[in-house]
């Protein structure tokens, strides 16, 4: 009888009590999952001296004075979402300084973080139309080679499905496009200088960039650090790629060549551009015929010893380097003395 009474005590929980416990446990699990940090990667590359570092500094809310990027630089940003189970988001930001001999450097961000949450910002110098296609072609070739090297055909097709979703499954031009497997935003920099160029040149540049952005499934914006409105759109776009917010950085689309372009993913079409369906090779050939292109620019003057650049100070490494330099000088002096002694003999 005592055993029966104890069983009655254990079963006093009502169905409502059990439901409350289950919901509470589920909320705990969801909070635990939400609090785990998520990561995305944004790779910024393109024309030299176009303002890549400035854009990144604004995105990361840094006041650093931009200095020339020698090779490949890494930085990151963190953002904590508001609300219950505040989720920590991390954005890995890579910047390529020069396109010259850069194939191995372009692989690094993809090899380090994979392609699942990868996106790219391609910045082109609008003030130099005679280098625009050369720089763009170099970037696209490098990204294609790195993607093919570090992703299986199955993964690429799976990611391209996400690109199709992004531009719209019902888009009338879908079957004519050469879609990239990850989000790309083409940013035309130095718009403040470009807007003073000849109208015909701007028309050719506009048609070229709209055509290549459309065929790649990319978005396209113009940018100048000297214009708050276009600078904000570029920063919002980078925030969208890096953290997912705002959900749509494009408040309105702009297709007019006489004003800053702002074309969201999937918003353009061959009919709207005013050209027949084409591919990247023909786009490049047509543009190069209209505006002859200069060869890829040199990486510029590299310091004799980049390790002595004050922007790359590392105390422990610098101390070891100094110690090794002293040891080397000692060996050189000793060798010099020995050689003089042998000559005298």
């Amino acid at each position: 009888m005592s055993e029966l009474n104890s069983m009655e005590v254990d079963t006093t929980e009502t169905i409502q009590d059990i439901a409350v416990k289950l919901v509470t446990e589920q909320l705990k699990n969801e909070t635990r999952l939400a609090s785990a940090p998520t990561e995305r990667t944004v790779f910024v590359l393109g024309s030299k001296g176009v303002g890549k570092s400035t854009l990144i500094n604004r995105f990361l809310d840094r006041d650093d004075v931009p200095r020339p990027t020698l090779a490949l630089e890494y930085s990151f940003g963190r953002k904590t979402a508001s609300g219950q189970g505040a989720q920590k988001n991390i954005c890995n930001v890579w910047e390529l300084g020069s396109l010259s001999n850069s194939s191995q450097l372009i692989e690094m961000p993809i090899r380090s973080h994979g392609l699942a949450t990868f996106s790219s910002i391609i910045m082109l110098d609008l003030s130099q139309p005679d280098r625009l296609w050369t720089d763009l072609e170099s970037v696209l070739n490098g990204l294609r080679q790195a993607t093919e090297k570090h992703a299986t055909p199955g993964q690429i097709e799976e990611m391209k499905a996400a690109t199709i979703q992004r531009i719209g499954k019902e888009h009338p031009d879908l079957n004519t496009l050469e879609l990239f497997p990850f989000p790309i935003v083409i940013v035309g920099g130095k718009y403040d200088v470009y807007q003073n160029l000849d109208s015909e040149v701007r028309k050719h540049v506009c048609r070229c960039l709209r055509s290549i952005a459309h065929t790649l499934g990319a978005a396209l914006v113009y940018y100048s650090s000297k214009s708050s409105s276009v600078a904000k759109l570029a920063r919002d776009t980078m925030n969208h790629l890096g953290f997912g917010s705002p959900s749509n950085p494009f408040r309105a689309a702009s297709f007019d060549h006489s004003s800053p372009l702002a074309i969201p993913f999937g918003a353009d079409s061959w009919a709207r551009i005013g050209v027949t369906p084409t591919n990247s090779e023909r786009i490049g050939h047509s543009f190069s015929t209209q505006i002859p292109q200069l060869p890829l620019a040199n990486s510029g003057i590299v310091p004799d010893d980049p390790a002595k650049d004050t922007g790359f100070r590392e105390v422990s490494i610098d101390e070891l380097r100094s110690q090794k330099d002293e040891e080397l000088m000692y060996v050189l002096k000793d060798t010099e003395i020995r050689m003089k002694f042998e000559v005298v003999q």
Side-chain angles (χ1 to χ4, degrees):
M1 192 67 160
S2 59
E3 290 179 3
L4 183 59
N5 289 335
S6 65
M7 288 177 62
E8 288 174 355
V9 171
D10 292 338
T11 56
T12 53
E13 270 189 330
T14 65
I15 293 176
Q16 185 176 1
D17 293 333
I18 294 170
V20 169
K21 280 187 176 181
L22 289 172
V23 170
T24 303
E25 187 64 29
Q26 184 177 352
L27 287 174
K28 284 181 181 178
N29 291 335
E30 288 178 355
T31 300
R32 197 178 300 117
L33 289 171
S35 61
T38 62
E39 289 193 26
R40 297 189 187 194
T41 301
V42 178
F43 189 15
V44 184
L45 69 171
S47 303
K48 191 171 180 62
V50 71
K52 299 186 292 295
S53 298
T54 301
L55 176 60
I56 291 171
N57 285 344
R58 289 196 174 188
F59 165 61
L60 297 175
D61 291 322
R62 296 191 310 207
D63 297 325
D64 301 359
V65 177
R67 51 184 171 72
T69 303
L70 295 178
L72 189 67
E73 290 193 4
Y74 169 81
S75 52
F76 70 93
R78 263 190 303 231
K79 183 179 285 188
T80 303
S82 58
Q84 186 177 10
Q87 188 178 41
K88 296 176 182 177
N89 298 315
I90 297 172
C91 177
N92 303 296
V93 182
W94 292 82
E95 179 192 358
L96 182 68
S98 170
L99 295 174
S100 181
N101 301 316
S102 61
S103 57
Q104 290 184 332
L105 294 178
I106 289 177
E107 289 181 23
M108 184 61 70
I110 295 175
R111 194 167 67 223
S112 300
H113 305 287
L115 285 163
T117 57
F118 182 88
S119 58
S120 180
I121 289 180
I122 302 174
M123 289 193 72
L124 302 171
D125 191 343
L126 295 175
S127 70
Q128 298 189 59
D130 53 0
R131 294 190 184 277
L132 189 142
W133 183 260
T134 304
D135 289 348
L136 178 58
E137 187 177 40
S138 177
V139 170
L140 295 178
N141 288 340
L143 289 174
R144 283 194 183 100
Q145 290 168 10
T147 301
E148 291 169 2
K149 187 173 180 179
H150 295 282
T152 65
Q155 289 173 320
I156 292 174
E157 287 306 311
E158 187 177 332
M159 288 185 290
K160 280 186 179 179
T163 302
I164 292 172
Q165 190 73 29
R166 189 162 47 251
I167 66 173
K169 292 182 178 179
E170 305 302 321
H171 197 292
D173 299 339
L174 194 58
N175 293 330
T176 66
L177 306 182
E178 304 172 353
L179 301 177
F180 251 76
F182 49 79
I184 288 179
V185 176
I186 297 176
V187 177
K190 294 190 177 180
Y191 176 74
D192 54 305
V193 180
Y194 165 80
Q195 65 182 340
N196 297 318
L197 298 182
D198 181 77
S199 176
E200 282 303 308
V201 171
R202 286 186 281 123
K203 282 182 182 178
H204 292 319
V205 170
C206 175
R207 188 182 299 113
C208 171
L209 291 183
R210 285 182 63 184
S211 297
I212 195 64
H214 181 50
T215 196
L216 299 176
L220 172 63
V221 299
Y222 279 1
Y223 167 79
S224 168
S225 60
K226 298 178 181 179
S227 170
S228 58
S229 57
V230 294
K232 183 180 185 304
L233 175 57
R235 186 175 184 272
D236 286 349
T237 302
M238 198 165 180
N239 250 311
H240 174 69
L241 295 177
F243 296 113
S245 61
S247 57
N248 181 13
F250 296 88
R251 295 182 180 179
S254 173
F255 302 90
D256 187 357
H257 79 276
S258 62
S259 60
L261 295 181
I263 305 176
F265 295 105
D268 222 338
S269 67
W270 298 125
R272 179 171 264 165
I273 297 170
V275 299
T276 56
T278 185
N279 58 33
S280 55
E281 185 179 351
R282 289 200 293 268
I283 294 168
H285 177 73
S286 174
F287 183 71
S288 299
T289 301
Q290 295 156 346
I291 302 178
Q293 297 293 289
L294 296 174
L296 192 65
N298 264 340
S299 57
I301 299 173
V302 178
D304 292 335
D305 188 355
K308 293 180 181 178
D309 190 319
T310 56
F312 296 98
R313 285 178 178 169
E314 291 287 348
V315 178
S316 57
I317 295 175
D318 291 342
E319 286 178 356
L320 288 172
R321 172 69 182 264
S322 178
Q323 180 183 335
K324 292 298 180 184
D325 285 344
E326 289 178 6
E327 291 174 3
L328 178 60
M329 289 302 296
Y330 176 80
V331 171
L332 290 174
K333 286 181 179 179
D334 184 59
T335 304
E336 187 179 0
I337 292 171
R338 286 173 182 272
M339 288 177 67
K340 286 182 179 178
F341 181 74
E342 288 174 359
V343 170
V344 171
Q345 284 183 333

